Amino acid sequence: MSNRFLSTLLLLFVCAAGYGQSVWLWPIEGQTAGENILYVPQQYIDKEHNFDALFLGGEEGDRIVAPADAAVVWLSFCYRHSLTYMSSFDTPDEQRPIGEQLEQLAAEADRRRYDPDYITAHCSLQLSDGRKIYLAGFRPARYFKSGERIERGTLLGTLHRSYSKIRRPSLSVSVSKNGTPADPMTSFGLRSTFLPPQRQAVKERLTAEEARRDFAHILAVLREAYPSLGDAVAPERLAAFERAVNDSLANGIRRDDFYHYMLKLQALVHDSHFVLHRTDDRGSGKMPQLFFGWYGDSCVVTMTQHPYASYVGRRIAKIGDMTTDSARRNRTALIGCYDAGVRSVVEERLASQMTMVEDDEMTQRIEFADGERRTFRGSRITGHPSNFTQTYLDYYRQNIHLPDYYEARMIDDSTAYLGITTFELNEVTVDRIVGFIDSLASVRTPNLVVDLRNNGGGDIRVLDRLLACLLEAPARNKGAMQWVSKRGHFASFDSCCLNYGPDMEIFGEYEPMPDGNGFFSTADSERVEPDSLVQYRGRLYVLTNAGSYSASTCFPAAIVRNRRGVVVGRETGTAYHYMTALKSASIRLPNSGFQFSVPLVRLVYDTTRNERIPYGRGVLPDYPVDLTRRELFEAPDSILQYALRLIAEGRYLEGDDPFAANDAEPRARRKMLPLSLLLLLFGTGTAVALTRKRRS
């Protein structure tokens, strides 16, 4: 079918469907809806199946406009390698002409990886109904800040080229809803060819061969592509686990039981960016009557449904046929998503999320410490917290500030509060936070509490900008770098990786290590410099807990490393010295359907080592707050209240600077270690300090 005939047919569909005027404005000005369509969803582009994008043609320089009122999520430069793989470059610099930046990228592009004519701009627009529109293949008219609101018809730029396999000017249009591809056609008034993603049917039982093949896939990916495996788990321990699992699969296995083994693998590796996903868990529709957790050496009932309120606080001796010590070991073996030697995550999970049941009916056979034995039957899930004696929901809601994801306020005349829910913030929001910090600096507010509890991390650029307003001197961390085992061409990705193919070169810009052990880059490892215009110089009290991951570990790491303030609360969930993140392979096991996110880049944050920052641990607080059942269920603001007491008592930095000796070394010894020695010093470990956000 010719493209001209396709466009005519689609225009007829518009009339036949009786849509009338399009809901969205056609993005190429001067064209009518449906005109000059090159490809629609479900067509093939040079043997590639186009699942969800609409490609529109026109003349170079045609005006591209916003289809609807929206907020800009991001604007960046990109290059599409395939329909499923796109490299993004640094966000445009607001201070430079944007066309000049695009021309510079094209001129400096590595022609082994990029056709410079197809380096272009792409953007994401957030609509009020939750959908996002993605446009790629234009030269921006100006710089657009993330979070900036634009109206339907706003000039975004001029038509360029979206994909090298379409050898003409083109614009790519795609849509998502809640992270899932959505129809890009109906809202333009077109009869759609889009097919929603279908949940793949899965088997309830796997044969021995199917289960072993899936297990072999994920192990092969970890061994070839995950650069911190040696620090996460000793090779002999991983091999023993592999043998034990394979031996247990001799007669096949229920899919749910195989999932249990995958949970154990996730816990064995325990990297906060190595994540097992299961989206098909339908559950039984029932919930247990008793919930419990471990505090010190005791297993204690923490909450119940109201008929059993008298059991709250009771100690448990046995759960089913297991002693609580055995149950604790079994549950600990399933706790993953923390880094290196971090302890706070395990402690928090054992205290709040370790309730055990015997079957899908949520049956619990409990023997209490006083000798009482009782069987509790599960009940129907109601979803109402009021049905329970108490819950830990408020604890996990601490520092969750919606809809702006931050809160800035004065606690009293001398103390300000800045709660940051995530570092995934748009530029408009960051400008507001910087404005708040500036206002504190202008009136010399003595104390600032920065709350990073339950903050999962985000954009390194946001982190660096906020730190620049708080650090009084350049960041003192040393030896920052990124390391990967290979530049790409991971054979283990064949038939199981959703976002990278086995023939792709992913890290082409990385340089070989001098000793031949992998590849490195220092491109995104610059030290943070103080902001020359906005600089708060009062006392800083940073609140952290086990939910402070990635960028919200790097923030207190910088505060501690520069002796700029104090940390109050608990160890962060990400380790101080290094992490494994940046880019991840999405691995889908072909038989079970379970998916893993496997991080591919090891990022060293600091090579300094001393007693204040034990290697392998998270950022440890200057003023620790022990986790108690009371805080979890009754007083979730305990860490904040303790910080306010410290402020009232005038307690702040105490003792000598633990980094003085490291930073005062003779000049000859202060040179950065050769990159070939960095990995010998640190191994190839696992930890997470921050996520350096780059879309790809």
Side-chain angles (χ1 to χ4, degrees):
M1 181 184 294
S2 71
N3 287 325
R4 181 175 180 180
F5 178 69
L6 176 64
S7 297
T8 303
L9 185 60
L10 286 169
L11 283 170
L12 290 174
F13 278 159
V14 173
C15 299
Y19 282 107
Q21 186 177 1
S22 300
V23 176
W24 290 348
L25 191 65
W26 195 247
I28 301 181
E29 194 173 75
Q31 294 185 8
T32 57
E35 183 178 347
N36 211 354
I37 293 177
L38 304 179
Y39 298 96
V40 297
Q42 304 310 316
Q43 280 191 298
Y44 282 79
I45 303 176
D46 190 23
K47 299 182 181 180
E48 284 187 279
H49 191 180
N50 173 34
F51 289 98
D52 62 347
L54 190 61
F55 287 89
L56 314 179
E59 300 298 325
E60 187 89 29
D62 282 352
R63 288 164 59 93
I64 305 301
V65 297
D69 296 345
V72 177
V73 180
W74 43 258
L75 170 72
S76 185
F77 296 127
C78 71
Y79 181 84
R80 189 190 294 270
H81 298 273
S82 70
L83 292 177
T84 57
Y85 176 41
M86 177 185 291
S87 289
S88 286
F89 302 91
D90 290 337
T91 300
D93 184 350
E94 185 179 6
Q95 307 303 320
R96 294 174 53 206
I98 200 160
E100 174 185 299
Q101 296 176 63
L102 184 57
E103 291 174 3
Q104 181 179 346
L105 276 175
E108 297 176 354
D110 181 351
R111 282 166 167 72
R112 294 171 300 175
R113 300 191 69 213
Y114 308 105
D115 182 336
D117 290 339
Y118 292 85
I119 295 177
T120 189
H122 68 150
C123 70
S124 172
L125 306 178
Q126 177 79 58
L127 306 186
S128 59
D129 64 6
R131 285 182 293 175
K132 291 180 181 178
I133 303 175
Y134 303 90
L135 302 174
F138 64 97
R139 299 178 185 273
R142 62 175 178 85
Y143 181 82
F144 291 89
K145 282 188 175 183
S146 60
E148 177 182 345
R149 298 212 61 86
I150 60 175
E151 296 181 348
R152 169 189 170 105
T154 298
L155 178 64
L156 299 177
T158 56
L159 185 63
H160 189 218
R161 295 169 183 259
S162 65
Y163 186 27
S164 60
K165 290 185 179 179
I166 303 175
R167 306 301 293 183
R168 55 176 293 182
S170 65
L171 182 74
S172 168
V173 183
S174 58
V175 178
S176 73
K177 180 72 177 287
N178 299 325
T180 301
D183 184 2
M185 302 178 70
T186 302
S187 291
F188 287 117
L190 305 176
R191 179 70 60 84
S192 183
T193 62
F194 173 78
L195 296 178
Q198 298 296 314
R199 177 174 292 179
Q200 185 169 338
V202 294
K203 301 176 180 179
E204 294 301 320
R205 186 173 183 83
L206 306 176
T207 66
E209 181 182 358
E210 290 169 339
R212 285 170 175 165
R213 193 182 311 131
D214 274 11
F215 190 36
H217 271 300
I218 186 58
L219 289 179
V221 170
L222 287 171
R223 285 168 169 149
E224 182 184 27
Y226 174 59
S228 298
L229 186 61
D231 274 317
V233 55
E236 58 273 16
R237 188 179 178 195
L238 182 61
F241 177 72
E242 181 180 14
R243 287 193 299 271
V245 172
N246 278 326
D247 287 347
S248 72
L249 301 176
N251 298 314
I253 190 171
R254 292 174 62 242
R255 183 169 178 271
D256 286 347
D257 293 333
F258 186 69
Y259 179 73
H260 189 79
Y261 282 131
M262 296 301 96
L263 279 175
K264 283 191 171 183
L265 177 63
Q266 178 184 240
L268 194 64
V269 175
H270 65 263
D271 183 310
S272 65
H273 285 73
F274 175 56
V275 183
L276 171 63
H277 305 278
R278 179 174 182 172
T279 59
D280 64 320
D281 189 6
R282 299 181 296 274
S284 66
K286 292 192 174 183
M287 64 190 311
Q289 299 282 6
L290 267 59
F291 294 77
F292 43 84
W294 277 266
Y295 298 85
D297 294 330
S298 299
C299 181
V300 179
V301 177
T302 54
M303 70 180 192
T304 71
Q305 297 194 49
H306 284 300
Y308 302 99
S310 62
Y311 286 95
V312 172
R314 294 272 298 273
R315 288 182 58 208
I316 296 174
K318 294 183 71 175
I319 304 166
D321 297 324
M322 286 191 292
T323 65
T324 52
D325 286 342
S326 296
R328 179 184 180 125
R329 287 193 294 272
N330 285 353
R331 300 302 285 174
T332 302
L334 298 178
I335 299 174
C337 296
Y338 65 94
D339 301 318
V342 167
R343 300 172 189 168
S344 59
V345 173
V346 175
E347 179 187 39
E348 185 179 274
R349 299 274 180 83
L350 285 173
S352 64
Q353 300 178 39
M354 288 294 106
T355 299
M356 299 175 68
V357 297
E358 295 193 34
D359 52 37
D360 289 343
E361 297 301 311
M362 303 292 153
T363 304
Q364 296 170 303
R365 290 184 296 124
I366 305 295
E367 179 179 329
F368 295 95
D370 61 4
E372 180 186 356
R373 298 178 181 179
R374 183 163 182 176
T375 298
F376 299 87
R377 307 293 180 186
S379 65
R380 185 175 59 85
I381 293 176
T382 63
H384 297 296
S386 61
N387 290 339
F388 296 90
T389 54
Q390 53 195 353
T391 75
Y392 48 65
L393 294 179
D394 287 342
Y395 175 81
Y396 286 104
R397 287 172 179 158
Q398 282 302 306
N399 195 37
I400 306 301
H401 304 294
L402 302 176
D404 297 323
Y405 300 103
Y406 83 98
E407 181 179 69
R409 58 183 170 89
M410 297 300 299
I411 293 177
D412 55 38
D413 291 342
S414 63
T415 302
Y417 172 88
L418 175 59
I420 304 174
T421 302
T422 175
F423 285 99
E424 196 64 54
L425 301 172
N426 63 54
E427 292 169 277
V428 172
T429 298
V430 174
D431 285 346
R432 291 176 185 150
I433 295 175
V434 170
F436 176 70
I437 295 172
D438 192 26
S439 71
L440 301 179
S442 65
V443 298
R444 299 185 179 181
T445 302
N447 307 296
L448 172 59
V449 176
V450 180
D451 193 349
L452 299 179
R453 291 173 294 171
N454 301 321
N455 180 322
D459 193 329
I460 183 61
R461 295 166 299 185
V462 173
L463 170 73
D464 287 352
R465 187 174 179 204
L466 297 184
L467 280 175
C469 299
L470 301 172
L471 296 182
E472 299 173 331
R476 291 153 61 179
N477 57 298
K478 302 176 183 179
M481 61 169 281
Q482 302 164 19
W483 183 84
V484 297
S485 58
K486 297 171 66 175
R487 284 179 170 150
H489 303 285
F490 294 106
S492 58
F493 288 179
D494 189 25
S495 75
C496 68
C497 186
L498 301 179
N499 57 333
Y500 299 119
D503 57 341
M504 287 183 178
E505 185 174 84
I506 306 169
F507 304 106
E509 68 276 19
Y510 282 52
E511 298 294 330
M513 293 285 286
D515 62 356
N517 181 22
F519 301 83
F520 76 94
S521 172
T522 58
D524 291 323
S525 303
E526 300 84 1
R527 295 191 307 170
V528 177
E529 299 284 340
D531 191 299
S532 60
L533 299 177
V534 180
Q535 191 61 227
Y536 173 77
R537 300 183 184 277
R539 292 183 169 189
L540 285 176
Y541 294 79
V542 182
L543 313 185
T544 62
N545 67 2
S548 303
Y549 284 106
S550 294
S552 59
T553 286
C554 197
F555 188 106
I559 298 303
V560 167
R561 184 65 177 85
N562 289 272
R563 200 163 168 76
R564 176 60 187 89
V566 294
V567 178
V568 183
R570 283 186 283 281
E571 179 184 20
T572 59
T574 284
Y576 171 90
H577 283 95
Y578 60 98
M579 74 164 185
T580 320
L582 188 59
K583 290 187 178 183
S584 293
S586 295
I587 303 300
R588 187 181 193 280
L589 304 184
N591 297 300
S592 64
F594 299 136
Q595 290 187 205
F596 284 91
S597 294
V598 180
L600 301 177
V601 184
R602 175 184 171 87
L603 296 96
V604 175
Y605 171 70
D606 188 12
T607 59
T608 306
R609 299 174 73 169
N610 59 37
E611 292 183 359
R612 178 64 186 86
I613 47 172
Y615 188 70
R617 298 295 299 275
V619 176
L620 299 174
D622 299 280
Y623 295 97
V625 179
D626 291 337
L627 181 66
T628 64
R629 183 162 55 92
R630 181 175 180 275
E631 180 185 353
L632 272 171
F633 293 94
E634 301 171 18
D637 255 340
S638 296
I639 292 175
L640 174 58
Q641 294 307 314
Y642 182 50
L644 295 179
R645 287 201 301 274
L646 295 172
I647 292 171
E649 295 167 4
R651 298 181 63 186
Y652 192 52
L653 290 166
E654 298 177 352
D656 297 328
D657 182 354
F659 299 97
N662 301 96
D663 295 334
E665 293 172 352
R667 182 174 300 274
R669 294 180 58 198
R670 293 181 62 186
K671 294 180 180 179
M672 179 177 169
L673 290 173
L675 289 169
S676 61
L677 297 181
L678 279 174
L679 292 176
L680 296 178
L681 174 64
F682 286 104
T684 55
T686 176
V688 177
L690 57 100
T691 297
R692 293 187 175 272
K693 181 67 179 252
R694 179 181 288 174
R695 297 175 181 86
S696 61

